[in-house]
Amino acid sequence: MKHILTEELLQSLTADTPSISPKFFYDDIGSHLFDVITLLDEYYPTRTEKWIMDTYQRGIADAVAHCDVLIDLGAGNCAKGSQLFDSIAPKQYRALDISKEYVEAAVADLQKQFPQIEMSAHAIDLSLPLAFPDLQALRKVFFYPGSSIGNFNPEKADQFFMNLAHECHGNGGLLIGVDLVKDTETLHLAYNDPLGVTAAFNLNALLNVNRLIGSNFQLQDWEHYAFFNTSLSRIEMHLRARSDVRVILPGNGSQDHIISFGVGDLIHTENSYKYTQEHFVEKLRHAGFADIQCWTDPNKYFLVCFAKV
Ligand code: AVJ
């Protein structure tokens, strides 16, 4: 695993645009820092999505109508998925996440509370196509909340939607939450909170990488840099070198790799795409979903859609 990660990071860090994948945010500290981000006044997405889900619970459940299997794509602690159990009443719940141990523990807890729902936990890599051959005949509802879709570039998002529309096998749909385009000031603050939690979340990726592959990134050499790229409609997060930096990536038996950065050089760590409602609905339609219902908040900060095949 270490060799593979070293290879991956060596490639991404020495590319024309150096980058570290956002998956490296979510170690133990990073997951907790993200939880804190969701509590910040400036970070409106989580609380706004929850407001929409709570306020329109009835309408959403009516749109979903009937659910054999609720497939939670990025379940984590299963908190958002389990919120739907009462209103949607799935017969089965499949919790998918990159971290198998984490989601298994959450499902084990949940199973005790909801013995009537058949539950299972699975590891997934959402960058690869999904297939559910054993669920073909069932009505599936895919659940993808939290604007996680914002991390996909627009072409990848289209592929992902096409994959899900196909995997519905003519029955079911996708319940998804996405962050909307809004004034730049609001967007900027959500990713540049004055307490510095987002900065810590971003910088922690370096500590996680150090731990995983034995590299020697020094936090004092880097600073958080996030801005809204208006033409690409995305928040970009980067780490910016505060001085000239040399980093060693141990070669595990073979030669060590040294990567150099000049002051001001950037490592791109995340994109968080923001959509308009019209554009997002159009993408879902284009992917093969026929009937799309939407719910939003009074400020139109966030959007929840149920897209039926
Ligand atoms: C978990 C990808 C939805 O893009 O807003 C929060 C991650 N990054 N603050 C987002 C994140 C910085 C978040 N997503």
Side-chain angles (χ1 to χ4, degrees):
M1 193 57 185
K2 193 171 166 190
H3 285 71
I4 298 169
L5 290 179
T6 303
E7 259 324 298
E8 176 183 342
L9 285 158
L10 185 62
Q11 287 245 347
S12 72
L13 286 168
T14 56
D16 289 343
T17 306
S19 67
I20 293 176
S21 159
K23 74 182 178 198
F24 291 103
F25 287 141
Y26 299 97
D27 63 352
D28 214 22
I29 291 180
S31 302
H32 280 94
L33 286 170
F34 181 70
D35 286 345
V36 177
I37 288 175
T38 67
L39 302 175
L40 298 169
D41 281 347
E42 294 81 13
Y43 193 76
Y44 59 83
T46 311
R47 121 171 40 87
T48 310
E49 180 178 55
K50 184 169 171 19
W51 184 90
I52 297 167
M53 288 288 196
D54 290 350
T55 305
Y56 299 107
Q57 187 177 26
R58 259 303 191 34
I60 292 169
D62 285 349
V64 168
H66 163 72
C67 174
D68 290 323
V69 197
L70 181 63
I71 303 177
D72 197 335
L73 304 164
N77 62 10
C78 302
K80 290 182 187 176
S82 62
Q83 280 291 315
L84 293 168
F85 289 174
D86 284 336
S87 60
I88 286 174
K91 297 197 184 82
Q92 285 185 46
Y93 176 61
R94 283 215 179 181
L96 317 184
D97 202 274
I98 13 174
S99 165
K100 182 154 186 187
E101 297 81 57
Y102 193 65
V103 75
E104 262 174 354
V107 163
D109 266 357
L110 208 55
Q111 183 72 81
K112 290 179 210 142
Q113 277 171 263
F114 298 90
Q116 75 283 11
I117 303 174
E118 189 186 324
M119 295 185 189
S120 57
H122 309 261
I124 40 153
D125 179 350
L126 285 182
S127 62
L128 304 172
L130 297 164
F132 303 90
D134 55 321
L135 303 176
Q136 275 221 29
L138 301 174
R139 182 173 168 90
K140 291 169 289 295
V141 173
F142 293 100
F143 184 46
Y144 202 46
S147 202
S148 299
I149 193 67
N151 277 165
F152 288 66
N153 72 38
E155 301 72 42
K156 270 272 178 206
D158 289 339
Q159 286 173 20
F160 179 67
F161 292 156
M162 281 180 204
N163 179 198
L164 292 180
H166 177 261
E167 285 304 310
C168 284
H169 299 105
N171 191 4
L174 167 65
L175 180 61
I176 184 166
V178 65
D179 199 11
L180 294 175
V181 179
K182 59 188 60 64
D183 66 283
T184 304
E185 170 83 5
T186 303
L187 285 169
H188 188 268
L189 267 176
Y191 294 84
N192 289 279
D193 64 278
L195 190 54
V197 186
T198 308
F201 175 74
N202 196 10
L203 285 160
N204 178 63
L206 297 178
L207 294 184
N208 188 22
V209 166
N210 282 350
R211 215 168 26 73
L212 288 168
I213 68 163
S215 52
N216 66 343
F217 282 100
Q218 305 289 315
L219 290 198
Q220 72 268 17
D221 292 341
W222 300 91
E223 65 191 357
H224 172 66
Y225 173 50
F227 66 95
F228 186 58
N229 182 329
T230 316
S231 53
L232 294 174
S233 196
R234 68 189 194 194
I235 289 280
E236 293 184 15
M237 291 220 306
H238 301 264
L239 292 160
R240 184 166 51 200
R242 301 177 66 220
S243 54
D244 292 344
V245 177
R246 277 159 64 90
V247 181
I248 302 169
L249 274 61
N252 318 291
S254 58
Q255 196 145 14
D256 290 354
H257 310 280
I258 296 173
I259 307 179
S260 301
F261 298 91
V263 59
D265 282 358
L266 301 176
I267 299 176
H268 193 173
T269 50
E270 186 172 45
N271 288 322
S272 186
Y273 281 88
K274 311 302 172 188
Y275 290 95
T276 63
Q277 176 167 334
E278 296 66 36
H279 185 195
F280 197 72
V281 167
E282 178 45 41
K283 281 170 83 74
L284 290 166
R285 219 182 285 291
H286 172 76
F289 292 100
D291 176 12
I292 297 141
Q293 279 180 265
C294 295
W295 299 269
T296 186
D297 54 292
N299 292 322
K300 296 207 181 309
Y301 274 12
F302 201 91
L303 183 70
V304 172
C305 298
F306 183 63
K308 210 159 51 174
V309 284

